[in-house]
Amino acid sequence: MEGNRFLILKPGIRRSVVMHYFIVVFLTMLILEVIFMLAIRTYYYDSVYNHLRSHASATASYYQRYVSVLYNDNDRSLLPELLNIFQLDNAEVQILDKKGDVLISHTGFQVKDPIRTSDVIIAVNEMKMSRWVGKMPETGEMVMAVSSPLLAKGDVRYVLRLVTSLDNVNQKLTSTVLLSFVISGSVLVLVLIISIGLANSIVKPINDITVASAQMAKGRFDVRVTEEYRYELGELAKTLNFMAQEIVRSNQMKDDFISSISHELRTPLTGIKGWSETLLSGNMDDPEETKLGLNIITKETDRLIGLVEELLDFSRLKQNRIQLHKESVDLESLLEETIFQVKSKADQKQIELQLDIAEDAHGQLTTTGDENRLKQVFLNLIDNAIKFSPLHSTIRVELSTGDCSCIVKVIDQGIGINEDDLTKVMDKFYQVNPDRGGTGLGLAISDEIVKAHEGELSLHSESQQGTTAMVQLPIRKADLEEA
Amino acid sequence: MRRSWFRRSAICLLLACTFIINGCEWVQDPKLLMSVPKLPEEQANLMSIINAQLPEGGEKVRPNNSTDGSAVRMADLDGDGKAEAIVFYEIPDSDVRLHGMILKSDGKEWKKVADFEGGGVRLDYVETVDLTRDNRLDLLVGYGSQDRDSLNKGMVVYSFVNNRIEKIFEQPYSQAVIDDLDGDSKKELYIVSHHKGKPPLLSQYQYMDQKLTKTAEIQMDVEVNAVYNMVSGLISKDKRGLVLDLSVGANYYASIGLLCLDGQFIEAVPMENTIRSKSYSSTDINNDGIIEFVKNETPQGWDIFREYEVPYFLNYFQWDGKNELKLVQKQYRDYSDRFHFTIPTSWYGRVSVDTKSDRDEYIRFIDYQTNETLAEIKFFSIENWERYKNKWTYLAAYGEEVIGILSKEPLKLNDGSLKLPELEQDSETAE
């Protein structure tokens, strides 16, 4: 099975990693190979050329200095002797005239056709030594020919041509190049194997994560990915695990919400049902009782409507469909109004409500916003504070100014919120204690409203010490300019 | 899984390493890889047969004075349309040093068909030409003695018939030429032989009555000591003949031009016109196909000097076919032949050499009418030459000296080449 996985590389990261490695190494090898081939060919050819050249130039200068001066122009008897002077092992020596006709050749045979290769032409015309690599016309053998002009009295008398076979050299080159191909091939295979290993080290975690997330998608949020992978993969694993955890938590929250909302809805309904039955079965003539019953029904219905409104409000806020009627709002009078409204509730728990207004904020702190919505925020905050404060405590409401903002603080001496819960209380449906009733939406809605006013709602709390809710709202622009 | 990769990679690496190490002579000295180029198959076969046929100690020899200096001569001697191979070889320390053999091919294999003994110790001359007028080539061989400059050598003509080699002619000779000079489109053999107490003799041989017969002969003037060169060809625009370079009397030299008409030698250019002080050879100096006669000229003003002090000009003349010689080229040639150059035609009739010139140091060419300097030749030491070489033109190098020339007008040096050779023998020649 392992073997199959190596042989058949399905499209994917493994294959692309292997291919990338392969291509990079292959190209590198190819370039190196070409360079190597050129270099080694140059080395071999140049060495042969240098050998021929040094022999040619040494003997040619010997001829020029000592031999040429002794002979007449047309002395043919010189040629066999010259051939002996120029004799070189493993090369054929030819002596040519200026037309390229071979006057005498080392082979002993007469060469009938004149030689017109570039080396001869350069030797005659430019008086320079040069080489020619090509095929012998008769045998097709690769040879290198080096021609040197033989100068006598300042002119080209003869051309000395040394010809050597390159067959062995080429053979050697071929075998060397083949060998290097084999080596490159094995390096390539090696790299391929290593790259498959490397690719696996990347692909395996990804596969594991994929498997885990597939299970999560199927609803198994208890599955966890190993977080020991390094770097990005580790991060990914952690994030995935965190996601699963959050999904579990928010599910839990939703369940809690549903149960609490059901409870919340049931309580007034029970009251309504109870009173309706009592009224139906009872004596309709007792107006006192009927009035009491209907009052309770109306109150409970209002509570239900309020609950439903709250839910609707929240979903509207979430979808940004709420309409804010923005106008100038005087925060001081707004807070006074709010406190007045909750006074009766506070009095029930004998809680004292204090409104502290900073000196510089007296009668001049205004913000732009929807008065009713802001009132809803403050009502919610103070209501919460009352709900979680013990009897005979004090709740302070402070109004002050900050940097370009007005700050409203609601400080209670209540039970406080755990650090863990503090970050979550503003989530919708979250309730520190789901048994205490309520929808868990109040703070979430307040937060949305404050955000819609470009403000910020934050909570600071210490367990058993009390909680401070702080609302920061921008100061109205006109006021700023005045200031 | 991972472990198995590593094992595999390790094995691969090990294999590669052993391969490299085993292929040990990974880089070899390229010089050792050189080899003599292969001969074409036919020639290679032939050569191996020849080498097998050579007796122990035998070695192929080449003729010294032939236009074709090859050791294996290919010629169709028996007229069967296929060339035979003629090889001469020598066996030192044997009674007969020079031998020849003839090999024939039946289309596949070469076989030795004839072996013959030669004369003398040196192979001077080998030529194949149809002298017997039977449409088969005959083999002419000149055998020489140990002494290179000996006057007479032996000329033997062989005929090869029915795989047998037959000697059909034998004569002593000093110079030999084969040509058709009488216009009958048959080749004749011309031989110069030297005789003690007598001037040299030029003879013409033609094949008549089944043998090579002497058909004409002419004796040189009594003053002639020797013929040191003989060439045949066009000696005027339309006449073919012989030019003989002679050493005459007390150390001077001359040439004669001979035509051969109706079995008679006719002296076309007498030797009086070409008397010179050195043994220059007549040759076709300007490559127009006509042989030029050569003669010294004493520069203006040098008459009073001793002969050996005179910086002679060398004039090449062409015969006009009647009785005039026309100057076609003028050269200045060093007395010990270290260099020469061709004098431009514009200098003709006015050039001379300043009499204060020293032939081994400095030569000044002047217009003798105006005494204007035309050119200078100077001998430089190699170090000095480095300083002058940009201005002066390289002429020749001799031993420790470089000879340069400075001329007002561009010269055609030597054979007409204007280019400068590299002086330093080790100069890098770029490809």
Side-chain angles (χ1 to χ4, degrees), chain A residues 2 5-6 36 40 43-49 51-53 57-58 61 64-65 69 71-81 83 88-92 98 103-110 112 124-131 136 138-139 141 143 151-156 163-169 172 175-176 179-180 182-183 186 189-190 193-194 196-198 200-201, chain B residues 1-2 4-6 8-10 12-13 16 19-20 23 25-44 46-47 50 60 62-74 85 122 148 229 279 281-283 285 333 336-340 382 394-400 413-417 419-423 425-431:
Chain A
E2 286 292 316
R5 275 174 67 184
F6 285 135
F36 174 72
I40 195 161
Y43 165 70
Y44 272 86
Y45 278 26
D46 282 359
S47 302
V48 171
Y49 172 56
H51 183 58
L52 294 178
R53 193 182 68 172
S57 67
S61 90
Q64 263 148 257
R65 287 189 178 179
V69 288
Y71 286 83
N72 283 330
D73 299 359
N74 300 322
D75 199 342
R76 289 211 158 247
S77 61
L78 174 65
L79 290 174
E81 217 158 303
L83 209 56
L88 176 67
D89 285 347
N90 297 326
E92 179 184 331
K98 284 174 77 172
L103 300 175
I104 197 162
S105 160
H106 185 240
T107 59
F109 288 98
Q110 196 185 12
K112 294 209 177 65
V124 172
N125 293 340
E126 293 169 28
M127 294 187 182
K128 272 185 188 164
M129 205 185 299
S130 70
R131 77 178 177 190
M136 289 282 269
E138 301 93 8
T139 55
E141 190 178 15
V143 293
L151 304 175
K153 291 158 201 163
D155 195 20
V156 179
V163 188
T164 188
S165 166
L166 292 176
D167 267 9
N168 291 338
V169 174
K172 182 81 200 167
S175 64
T176 309
L179 180 61
S180 68
V182 168
I183 291 171
S186 40
V189 169
L190 202 73
I193 292 167
I194 291 172
I196 288 174
L198 271 171
N200 277 345
S201 75
Chain B
M1 190 163 105
R2 189 157 292 180
S4 78
W5 299 332
F6 285 125
R8 258 184 257 187
S9 336
C12 281
L13 206 72
F19 204 62
I20 293 168
E25 287 160 89
W26 166 253
V27 175
Q28 223 173 19
D29 185 0
K31 270 185 273 178
L32 300 178
L33 294 170
M34 284 167 52
S35 62
V36 179
K38 284 192 221 75
L39 285 168
E41 202 180 341
E42 170 109 352
Q43 290 185 1
L46 174 55
M47 194 50 96
I50 291 171
K60 296 186 285 288
R62 298 164 187 269
N64 277 331
N65 277 322
S66 274
T67 45
D68 182 355
S70 48
V72 181
R73 182 77 68 111
M74 308 298 293
R122 277 177 159 272
R148 258 187 114 120
N229 183 37
S279 60
S281 296
S282 304
T283 179
I285 195 80
R333 200 171 270 261
S336 56
D337 230 350
R338 291 171 293 195
F339 65 92
H340 67 261
I382 288 171
Y394 175 88
L395 207 50
Y398 186 83
E400 295 278 84
L413 297 176
N414 303 320
D415 297 344
S417 138
K419 289 162 196 107
L420 301 185
E422 300 276 327
L423 180 64
Q425 44 129 335
D426 288 323
S427 66
E428 290 296 313
T429 49
E431 272 174 60

Side-chain angles (χ1 to χ4, degrees), chain A residues 249-457:
Chain A
R249 195 175 66 82
S250 67
N251 271 353
Q252 180 65 44
M253 254 162 65
K254 217 169 259 174
D255 292 347
D256 290 351
F257 168 72
I258 287 168
S259 75
S260 69
I261 205 85
S262 314
H263 186 80
E264 205 68 10
L265 288 172
R266 203 181 58 188
T267 317
L269 283 175
T270 316
I272 292 168
K273 187 167 166 53
W275 274 103
S276 325
E277 277 170 1
T278 313
L279 287 180
L280 269 178
S281 60
N283 189 356
M284 292 277 211
D285 300 337
D286 186 353
E288 279 300 310
E289 198 187 57
T290 310
K291 202 174 175 184
L292 178 71
L294 286 175
N295 262 334
I296 288 171
I297 289 173
T298 312
K299 219 174 114 191
E300 291 299 305
T301 315
D302 280 347
R303 215 172 123 194
L304 269 179
I305 290 170
L307 256 167
V308 174
E309 280 294 324
E310 209 172 39
L311 280 170
L312 271 176
D313 242 14
F314 179 73
S315 70
R316 273 193 211 123
L317 272 169
K318 265 283 144 192
Q319 290 164 32
N320 280 329
R321 279 191 359 224
I322 195 154
Q323 298 252 320
L324 290 178
H325 303 285
K326 286 197 178 173
E327 57 193 342
S328 178
V329 179
D330 182 2
L331 282 173
E332 193 181 335
S333 55
L334 181 65
L335 285 173
E336 276 169 0
E337 236 173 89
T338 313
I339 288 169
F340 183 74
Q341 217 167 319
V342 291
K343 190 126 180 89
S344 58
K345 205 172 182 182
D347 287 344
Q348 280 174 21
K349 286 180 91 174
Q350 290 165 357
I351 291 167
E352 190 191 344
L353 287 171
Q354 276 181 14
L355 178 60
D356 291 350
I357 292 166
E359 273 185 19
D360 57 345
H362 262 301
Q364 51 190 4
L365 257 186
T366 53
T367 184
T368 313
D370 189 322
E371 198 171 343
N372 286 327
R373 289 289 173 193
L374 285 175
K375 195 173 178 182
Q376 188 184 342
V377 171
F378 297 131
L379 266 177
N380 179 267
L381 290 177
I382 297 167
D383 194 48
N384 273 346
I386 293 169
K387 213 191 273 179
F388 295 106
S389 289
L391 298 173
H392 310 292
S393 60
T394 311
I395 293 172
R396 281 195 304 139
V397 179
E398 285 181 13
L399 176 63
S400 60
T401 49
D403 272 349
C404 311
S405 60
C406 10
I407 300 169
V408 179
K409 284 181 183 166
V410 180
I411 305 161
D412 64 33
Q413 296 161 339
I415 52 172
I417 308 167
N418 281 333
E419 218 173 300
D420 288 346
D421 296 325
L422 198 59
T423 52
K424 297 168 188 166
V425 285
M426 269 188 275
D427 289 357
K428 51 189 168 177
F429 312 130
Y430 185 84
Q431 289 173 304
V432 177
N433 187 354
D435 304 333
R436 283 186 83 153
T439 55
L441 283 173
L443 261 179
I445 292 171
S446 299
D447 188 37
E448 292 295 332
I449 292 171
V450 173
K451 270 182 195 158
H453 282 87
E454 292 157 22
E456 205 184 313
L457 170 62

